Amino acid sequence: MIELEVLEGESRGQSYNIEDPIITIGRHAENRIVLPDYHISGEHAQIFWEDNQYILRDLRSTSGSILVRNKQSLPLDGAERWEIPLKVGDQLRLGAPFSPVVLHVRAIDSVEVDLPRATVMAARTLEQIDSLRTSADSDRDLAAILYRLVQTIGRGGLELNQVLTSVSDAVFDLLDRASNVSIYLRDPVSLRFRMAYSRSREGSVDTTGGSRSLIEMVLKKKAAILVADAPEEMAQSASILSASIRSIMAVPMWNGNQIAGVIQCDNRTRRGMFQEHDLEHLTLLSYQSILAIENARMYQQLEEKKERAQSENNYFRQRTPVRCFSDIIGSSLAMKRIFDQLEKVIDTRVAISVRGETGTGKELIASAIHYQSRRRDKMFVAQNCAALPETLLESELFGHTKGAFTGAERDKKGLFEIADGGTLFLDEIADMPLSLQVKLLRVLQEGEIRPLGSTVVKFVDVRIISASHKNLEEEVAAGRFREDLFYRLHVFPILLPPLRERKEDIPLLVEHFVQKYACGMLKNVTMDPQTLREMQEVPWKGNVRELENEVQRLVILADDDGVILPADLRPQLRQESSVVAEKAVLAQGSLKEMMEEVERQILHRVLAECDQNKTRAAARLGITREGLHKKLAKYSM
């Protein structure tokens, strides 16, 4: 038995006595040890009994695990190890390094739990199985039974979980004594055998699963194995003792010369014991089962590829990519300096942080970087981190498995997988929740992602370009953004100038947008020179995006072969340009005096437009009524 005490974390002071052969640790409620700390992964780690010892395995968690022994830190980071045997006195440090959850290993009783050393009642090797298949063809009764069971399996269709259910139904139909069935499949990524399905004859989920020791024996001997009178014969297997199994058998599912899975069944609640012919019949059934299972897995892979292709098509339809810097409208000195900077980092792997006010074209810059780099043949994907709540954003970025949450009816690839080999643009990165910042840091450090609800880690090669209109240094100081992530993302910062600081680009932008929308509306529209001059004096608080929206509105209102006049501009824009012009001609006084004069003129104009209604004027200026009264008193108005 192993006893763990939580020394640091939200569950501090709690102790857990572990007697099961395998337990999981994580944030989700279904774990044996639930740690609610935000930086702990849903399924963070696993402790299991193997080779007479308890072993800690990190389940490719996003924030990592460290075992401390004799003041020496042994990280489970995949570089050297994912798992390590536990000893009395060890400390487990799970989650964020700056504030980990600390568990202390208080005691481990030495219990003999090894591979079963029992006398095997029956075994069938691959060569013997081939002869079984030949003899089955001449046995009409057996052939009829197998044909009926093949039809049962066929009703599972192409959805993997339904196929596994149909296989278990066929096993229960074939073997009257069977009370529980577990199906293990070889993971194509880790190559480990994982339990894919387990249930009782009554239909309930079998939480105890099968015997890990027997699975290992099947894989080692490459044979179907039957052990009878299990409590006596396999008394040293903890998983069998805990399930009160009387007899148990496991057969490999052969795919060519490779074992692709294992079917294991027992009779813990039924009288009698399995016989040799039961092992032979289950072995024959396994051949038909693996065909259906592999077809379902191939179908699942095709569906995933189809979903990825659809996602890529959606992204291509939704956005017109900027292929190079010359596609970006702007010949000002400020923009030329930015283009010169970006030329130097196009084909490096460094993370780029694009900063600037809303509407300055941060995504256009990111797109141009991607399509001028060697990653141009892969996907460019963008996501606004402020547009979705935390759970949906995690699913969108990392993907999810079927059943991961309510409404998750099928597996879904995340944007990291879609952009594998390409570029992912994360807009408004400052609004990403802290829990997801930990996962993003893991991607930047290790190139690893894990879909929501999955224990399988996937590796991706994605270049991250981030953007925010907020000051990230201030966000770090306020504790809303991780400092370590900030330094990872801020390797090469780019600051985009607001439109008011590159007025010489406004005529080029206006001409571009007029042509764009006039062609779409089949109109011939021109811009009056005076209108263009007034537009250059507007401060454009929304930058290029606001300018584009105004031009689109003007083109919609204009007649065919019409001219856009200054009077067509929104009144508020004309007032803003007028104020800026008046400020420009102020020839005397200090900066403070000139700014106060501008503010006084704004107050005078807004009050006139609101018919001296101070409540409306305050709302339009975005200040309180009390604040407006203070300003009016200041200027004796």
Side-chain angles (χ1 to χ4, degrees), residues 56 77 99 132 143 149 153 158 181 190 192 216 227 233 266 306 325 361 375 447 457 464:
L56 171 69
D77 55 7
S99 180
L132 283 175
L149 295 179
I153 295 173
L158 291 174
V181 172
S190 66
R192 292 179 177 271
E216 292 177 353
V227 175
E233 298 292 339
D266 61 71
K306 179 182 177 182
F325 297 140
R375 295 174 178 265
V457 170
I464 303 294

Side-chain angles (χ1 to χ4, degrees), residues 96-141:
F98 59 85
S99 180
V101 176
V102 180
L103 294 90
H104 179 60
V105 181
R106 291 179 57 90
I108 298 180
D109 293 339
S110 179
V111 180
E112 289 294 324
V113 180
D114 199 357
L115 286 176
R117 294 187 291 272
T119 302
V120 177
M121 302 299 294
R124 295 293 183 268
T125 63
L126 180 60
E127 292 75 14
Q128 293 172 315
I129 292 171
D130 289 336
S131 63
L132 283 175
R133 297 174 67 185
T134 302
S135 61
D137 293 337
S138 58
D139 188 334
R140 292 186 177 181
D141 293 337

Side-chain angles (χ1 to χ4, degrees), residues 158-388:
L158 291 174
E159 204 280 323
L160 181 59
N161 194 62
Q162 294 177 357
V163 170
L164 295 176
T165 300
S166 298
V167 170
S168 66
D169 288 340
V171 173
F172 289 130
D173 194 0
L174 176 67
L175 305 172
D176 292 335
R177 294 189 180 94
S179 60
N180 295 74
V181 172
S182 298
I183 301 174
Y184 292 76
L185 296 178
R186 186 184 182 95
D187 187 279
V189 178
S190 66
L191 302 182
R192 292 179 177 271
F193 281 81
R194 303 180 184 276
M195 189 172 66
Y197 188 87
S198 186
R199 58 168 280 208
S200 66
R201 180 179 286 272
E202 290 73 24
S204 61
V205 176
D206 182 9
T207 56
T208 61
S211 169
R212 182 184 176 91
S213 56
L214 186 57
I215 296 296
E216 292 177 353
M217 178 179 284
V218 168
L219 298 177
K220 182 177 180 180
K221 294 181 176 294
K222 295 184 177 181
I225 294 175
L226 163 64
V227 175
D229 197 14
E232 177 181 347
E233 298 292 339
M234 299 182 72
Q236 295 175 346
S237 178
S239 58
I240 291 176
L241 284 173
S242 63
S244 302
I245 299 171
R246 290 192 54 77
S247 62
I248 184 171
M249 57 184 175
V251 301
M253 292 189 285
W254 291 94
N255 187 4
N257 292 323
Q258 297 290 326
I259 298 178
V262 177
I263 299 178
Q264 183 180 127
C265 63
D266 61 71
N267 70 326
R268 70 186 76 172
T269 62
R270 296 221 155 199
R271 293 182 178 181
M273 296 185 296
F274 292 127
Q275 304 299 319
E276 287 192 42
H277 68 268
D278 293 324
L279 182 67
E280 294 174 353
H281 292 174
L282 183 60
T283 299
L284 293 172
L285 180 64
S286 71
Y287 271 91
Q288 305 300 326
S289 301
I290 194 59
L291 291 175
I293 291 171
E294 289 300 312
N295 285 338
R297 296 178 90 174
M298 289 177 62
Y299 175 76
Q300 187 175 17
Q301 292 173 1
L302 289 174
E303 286 295 297
E304 290 175 353
K305 291 180 179 179
K306 179 182 177 182
E307 181 184 349
R308 176 168 182 167
Q310 289 175 342
S311 300
E312 292 176 353
N313 290 335
N314 289 338
Y315 274 102
F316 280 127
R317 285 196 301 267
Q318 291 171 3
R319 60 188 84 245
T320 301
V322 176
R323 300 290 178 177
C324 59
F325 297 140
S326 61
D327 290 343
I328 299 176
I329 308 300
S331 59
S332 62
L333 182 61
M335 293 303 295
K336 287 181 179 179
R337 287 173 181 166
I338 289 175
F339 297 153
D340 291 340
Q341 286 180 301
L342 294 176
E343 289 285 357
K344 299 175 182 178
V345 292
I346 285 175
D347 282 320
T348 65
R349 294 179 59 87
V350 301
I352 297 177
S353 175
V354 185
R355 299 169 67 174
E357 296 179 6
T358 299
T360 50
K362 296 184 285 292
E363 184 171 344
L364 294 179
I365 292 292
S367 177
I369 293 171
H370 170 77
Y371 286 107
Q372 287 197 202
S373 72
R374 285 191 285 265
R375 295 174 178 265
R376 66 178 68 90
D377 294 331
K378 299 296 184 178
M379 284 289 294
F380 171 78
V381 181
Q383 175 61 47
N384 188 313
C385 298
L388 297 173

